[in-house]
Amino acid sequence: MSTQRPLISVIIPCFNADKYLHEALESILTQTYTNLEIILINDGSTDKTRQICQTYLKNDRRILYIENKVNLGLIYTLNIAISKASGEFIARMDADDLSEKNRIQIQLSYLLEHPEVDILGSKSNHLIDKVGFVNNINPIYLEYNTLKISSLFSQPLIHGSVLAKTNLLKKNPYNPEYKHSEDFELWLRLLDQGAVIANINDQLYSYRINNSGVSFSNTHKQIESHIKASHLYLEKKLNRKIPIAIVEILNNTPSKELKVNSLNESILLFNSMFSNDQSSEIMTFRSRHLFNIHIQMMKVNKSKWYSLIKILASLIKQPNSIKEIIYFFQRLLYRASLIPKK
């Protein structure tokens, strides 16, 4: 690795992003770390995205502008941008989000001090129009063992917040078979290969809750791809066949009315994965994920009283039961805060 300050390639895919692109770009252009290559890739936008990109291109020599003549979608757009990156590290950034001014500097310092880490994420806020910044209480785990096991069921990293080794991403492009969950599948694939991921305990990113965004308009496909990836790598980890219905329960996305037997089987399988690790963080993940499984089951199970009793029992059994009950109510308030006010 170079002894000079490494070049960082910041990849910003843009599709009809004129509403927020200015703010997103300013948050990168004003970074305290300045040795940046900023790859703006316009994925066939039909709004004023091109004009905004061209304006910035004239004023900052660090910007590399790429334009897809037609809309190819996020996966192909990201892969094109990664293939053009010349930095030692790649930072992700979405065109409607914000990065803290010292984000790149803090993340790069961490990676240089921990060369074993391949991909680094951070904590984030949520940014909601007409509401402002909302504290994101969805947990970000810091211990590698917790990240490995939680990644089988939920996002271990906030996609837009990551800083990663370029050579790793060039060798492992996003897979178009996992549309709208391409990052989730990539993290699982890299972990399966032995890559090391980590999160930094700093809030360095703000993720915009955008009701017109791709994730909101493709929720069903996103869940389908997520389950497909989870199913594949869960079976690889446990070296056994697992019914898809069990995988759906373990991912808090049961697709239909399910019997108590299926719930109990899922919980037994889930608990069997924790026999050798009793750290505080991994136990917190275990208890909270079990709690969320029961919450999701209530939505599709006619026996809601049974599910509610199981939830309360799971909370009371925890060593930090008061803390977990508080967390439960925090999540209810948090979910309410994500609904934009009219």
Side-chain angles (χ1 to χ4, degrees), residues 321-340:
S321 58
I322 295 177
K323 179 181 177 181
E324 295 307 313
I325 290 170
I326 292 172
Y327 172 76
F328 165 60
F329 285 107
Q330 282 179 329
R331 282 198 62 81
L332 291 179
L333 292 172
Y334 171 69
R335 289 179 69 85
S337 73
L338 296 185
I339 302 173

Side-chain angles (χ1 to χ4, degrees), residues 100-209:
E100 296 295 320
K101 287 188 176 183
N102 57 354
R103 171 198 162 185
I104 302 296
Q105 183 175 347
I106 290 175
Q107 288 186 297
L108 178 61
S109 295
Y110 183 97
L111 287 178
L112 293 179
E113 292 171 5
H114 301 84
E116 75 281 2
V117 175
D118 298 299
I119 307 168
L120 179 67
S122 79
K123 287 184 175 180
S124 77
N125 280 331
H126 277 150
L127 180 56
I128 307 173
D129 289 346
K130 300 181 181 180
V131 175
F133 294 97
V134 176
N135 183 39
N136 182 0
I137 68 164
N138 289 324
I140 288 295
Y141 296 110
L142 305 176
E143 296 176 6
Y144 183 54
N145 285 340
T146 313
L147 283 166
K148 282 201 300 183
I149 195 166
S150 67
S151 69
L152 289 164
F153 312 107
S154 58
Q155 286 283 7
L157 303 163
I158 296 166
H159 193 192
S161 78
V162 301
L163 183 64
K165 293 176 179 176
T166 300
N167 60 351
L168 188 68
L169 296 186
K170 284 182 180 289
K171 293 176 183 177
N172 292 276
Y174 292 93
N175 189 336
E177 292 184 14
Y178 295 88
K179 192 173 182 180
H180 306 306
S181 284
E182 65 283 339
D183 53 327
F184 178 63
E185 188 279 332
L186 178 60
W187 313 144
L188 284 171
R189 185 177 0 130
L190 292 175
L191 284 167
D192 185 59
Q193 294 174 12
V196 177
I197 65 175
N199 278 309
I200 195 168
N201 197 23
D202 293 89
Q203 190 276 308
L204 301 176
Y205 196 75
S206 293
Y207 173 84
R208 192 179 298 273
I209 303 297

Side-chain angles (χ1 to χ4, degrees), residues 13-15 40-45 50 65-78 80-81:
C14 314
F15 175 66
L40 276 176
I41 181 162
N42 179 6
D43 188 24
S45 297
R50 186 177 190 273
Y65 179 68
I66 303 170
E67 185 171 322
N68 299 336
K69 298 305 180 183
V70 296
N71 179 251
L72 300 178
L74 180 61
I75 294 174
Y76 291 102
T77 298
L78 285 174
I80 291 170

Side-chain angles (χ1 to χ4, degrees), residues 220 223 244-245 248-249 252-258 300:
H220 177 76
I223 291 174
I244 191 67
E248 290 176 340
I249 294 173
N252 302 321
T253 56
S255 60
K256 58 184 179 180
E257 171 93 9
L258 294 171
V300 296

